Amino acid sequence: MAKTSIVSGFYKLPLKERLAIIKDFAGLTDEEIRLLENTGSLPFDVADHMVENVIGVFPEPLGVGVNFLINGKDYLIPMATEEPSVIAAAGYAAKMVRDGGGFHTSSTAPVMIGQIQIVGIKDAKAAKKQVLDAKAVIIKKANDQDQVLNSFGGGAKDMDAKILDTSLGQMLIVELYVDCRDAMGANAVNTMAEAVAPQLEQLTGGHVYLRIISNLATKRLAKAWCTVPKESLGGEAVVDGIAYASAFAEADPYRAATHNKGALNGIIAVVLATGNDHRAIEAGAHAYAALKGRYTSISKWTKNKNGDLDGVIELPMAVGLIGGAVKTHPIARIAMKILNVKSANEFGEVLAAVGLAQNLAALRALSSEGIQRGHMSLHARNIAVTAGAKDAMIDLVAAQMVKERKVRVDRAKEILDELCKKQ
Ligand code: NAD
């Protein structure tokens, strides 16, 4: 029987029961469950090999977004984030989207762009022609660097060159287009860019400085779309509110930055949980949002002819199933197993769907009751802890602040004092 990601009241279950559900859904082993339960699961020697100057590890909460149905397949979404309400909101939005048939997705081939910067060229036009005439030789040199990638059907597939007018004069920028298959690809592409540089210097008589991947991965895009029934959202007025919010973000970069941040709240949580490079995704998303010369939103919501809500998101998605920290971090490996994606493309599409869900949840709240009620009631426990509450006192102090609609540290301290006196 196909497994479902619908788990109502997941947040109310004790940890053991939550883990039993995940174990069953993802086929986790007892050892993997033990690692999840142990909040210090990144051993020093592993961490010490990952980065430099290690003095400890920095744990973040890991949760799962429930209810996701993407292209007819159920997913539980592992999410690592320090921000309350993100994971709950993702599951809430996924449930509404599910009412309309779930998310649909598509993506381009996993092609990344490697840039080689050539300066000091006398005739840029002639140099460009020389480089393009030698395309086959340069691509072969690039592909000599990574037999493993070639064996998976990846590798440098094409190349182009552009003349750039800059404050320091003209430069020739050569771009390698590399199919990275299931890798994010930065190391693979950078190696190729460095390998072809001497040949490019010879051909052009110029000097190569930079040889590096571009995070504006316009050839590696993921797209997700959905239709949400108006009844699931709470009526046509909410649909109108979300459409107006979307138009606002499309027209105003100040709003677009926050609109996009809302979508990235979900995407980055998954990217982080899986040991992928979240800076690459952030950089790509924002640069893509500004590609047409003015920063705008990466998603769009409109009312369709039935009065329901249509949503779509598209952004660069440079993520991998191998490489980087994906296979070294023990919890990232488990997160990947929970996610159960078979290719980097499927992974990117799931991330786009998560971004769309997160964006929807934020816009629904913003265009109706505002985000503060839900957000602050989940944040209240953090405030209670900041005020010094421990154990059972945390929930008591938080509940009282939410009841009073005064979620503040000073009020938390007063409530805590009052409760302590009563004991
Ligand atoms: P990597 O070099 O660790 O792994 C990629 C390699 O794995 C491929 O080159 C290939 O040889 C091999 N491979 C095995 N199975 C494969 C498969 N199924 N599909 C594709 N390749 C397969 O990592 P990477 O993905 O090249 O680079 C990612 C790392 O680079 C991240 O840690 C990132 O943080 C870092 N980085 C990023 C930037 C940037 O974004 N600007 C710059 C430098 C480094």
Side-chain angles (χ1 to χ4, degrees):
M1 204 177 76
K3 288 178 178 162
T4 178
S5 63
I6 305 175
V7 195
S8 74
F10 191 76
Y11 70 100
K12 290 187 205 146
L13 300 175
L15 176 62
K16 288 268 178 221
E17 286 178 39
R18 291 183 198 171
L19 285 172
I21 291 171
I22 302 300
K23 186 177 188 214
D24 181 51
F25 185 90
L28 299 187
T29 63
D30 290 341
E31 171 62 9
E32 286 166 335
I33 291 295
R34 197 185 59 70
L35 281 169
L36 284 175
E37 277 176 313
N38 174 7
T39 51
S41 281
L42 182 59
F44 176 80
D45 59 329
V46 178
D48 200 33
H49 285 108
M50 287 173 72
V51 297
E52 310 74 39
N53 301 355
V54 174
I55 56 162
V57 293
F58 181 83
E60 284 246 57
L62 175 73
V64 285
V66 296
N67 301 327
F68 276 82
L69 182 69
I70 306 170
N71 301 323
K73 176 176 165 184
D74 273 87
Y75 293 85
L76 285 177
I77 311 288
M79 303 173 84
T81 180
E82 88 299 343
E83 188 174 350
S85 84
V86 167
I87 300 169
Y92 177 61
K95 192 155 185 284
M96 292 188 285
V97 173
R98 204 179 177 103
D99 293 341
F103 298 92
H104 307 279
T105 64
S106 67
S107 54
T108 64
V111 173
M112 298 298 290
I113 302 169
Q115 296 190 303
I116 302 114
Q117 175 201 32
I118 314 168
V119 305
I121 299 169
K122 286 194 188 77
D123 183 345
K125 265 194 184 160
K128 179 178 171 181
K129 185 171 180 318
Q130 267 162 331
V131 166
L132 292 179
D133 285 348
K135 190 191 264 193
V137 187
I138 295 164
I139 287 178
K140 181 176 179 313
K141 180 79 181 170
N143 281 329
D144 286 345
Q145 311 308 310
D146 201 333
Q147 298 307 334
V148 179
L149 186 56
N150 298 340
S151 73
F152 284 103
K157 300 293 178 194
D158 203 356
M159 195 195 92
D160 206 350
K162 62 186 182 194
I163 298 166
L164 216 56
D165 289 314
T166 79
S167 58
L168 291 179
Q170 281 198 327
M171 299 172 186
L172 185 66
I173 310 298
V174 176
E175 293 187 337
L176 281 177
Y177 303 134
V178 184
D179 184 322
C180 296
R181 293 288 92 200
D182 289 332
M184 180 268 182
N187 289 327
V189 171
N190 295 345
T191 305
M192 290 183 185
E194 290 189 9
V196 300
Q199 221 164 1
L200 291 173
E201 283 186 335
Q202 241 175 16
L203 280 166
T204 61
H207 179 74
V208 168
Y209 277 108
L210 272 55
R211 298 145 291 170
I212 180 81
I213 198 164
S214 168
N215 289 112
L216 178 51
T218 50
K219 291 185 179 292
R220 193 177 194 174
L221 299 174
K223 189 173 180 178
W225 61 94
C226 64
T227 295
V228 195
K230 53 182 175 295
E231 298 79 16
S232 306
L233 284 160
E236 208 156 331
V238 183
V239 175
D240 287 331
I242 295 173
Y244 272 114
S246 181
F248 179 11
E250 200 178 353
D252 178 25
Y254 287 86
R255 174 57 210 149
T258 322
H259 177 102
N260 293 342
K261 191 270 184 186
L264 287 162
N265 267 342
I267 294 172
I268 295 303
V270 188
V271 173
L272 198 57
T274 56
N276 268 271
D277 186 337
H278 52 94
R279 289 84 54 209
I281 299 300
E282 292 262 7
H286 293 299
Y288 190 63
L291 195 59
K292 290 186 180 143
R294 185 176 60 77
Y295 187 86
T296 185
S297 47
I298 52 172
S299 68
K300 191 171 179 171
W301 298 92
T302 46
K303 183 160 90 169
N304 67 21
K305 60 180 181 343
N306 299 325
D308 298 327
L309 184 70
D310 285 343
V312 61
I313 189 169
E314 185 181 61
L315 71 161
M317 212 42 106
V319 285
L321 305 186
I322 56 106
V326 181
K327 294 279 190 210
T328 32
H329 195 298
I331 302 300
R333 282 204 301 268
I334 297 174
M336 270 301 183
K337 195 165 169 185
I338 295 171
L339 202 55
N340 188 28
V341 289
K342 304 294 179 222
S343 67
N345 270 67
E346 183 186 352
F347 185 17
E349 292 179 25
V350 167
L351 286 168
V354 172
L356 196 59
Q358 208 71 54
N359 187 217
L360 171 65
L363 295 185
R364 200 207 63 84
L366 281 170
S367 54
S368 45
E369 82 259 16
I371 61 163
Q372 282 311 77
R373 196 167 62 86
H375 200 278
M376 290 313 275
S377 54
L378 290 170
H379 188 49
R381 287 193 296 175
N382 279 344
I383 301 285
V385 172
T386 308
K390 289 199 172 60
D391 306 322
M393 281 292 182
I394 299 171
D395 281 342
L396 291 175
V397 173
Q400 184 61 26
M401 285 192 294
V402 171
K403 198 170 151 199
E404 296 175 6
R405 295 191 167 217
K406 284 183 191 160
V407 184
R408 301 188 318 253
V409 177
D410 58 332
R411 183 59 194 136
K413 281 191 177 142
E414 287 169 10
I415 297 169
L416 187 60
D417 285 347
E418 286 160 22
L419 289 171
C420 288
K421 272 182 210 150
K422 279 188 201 158
Q423 278 194 332

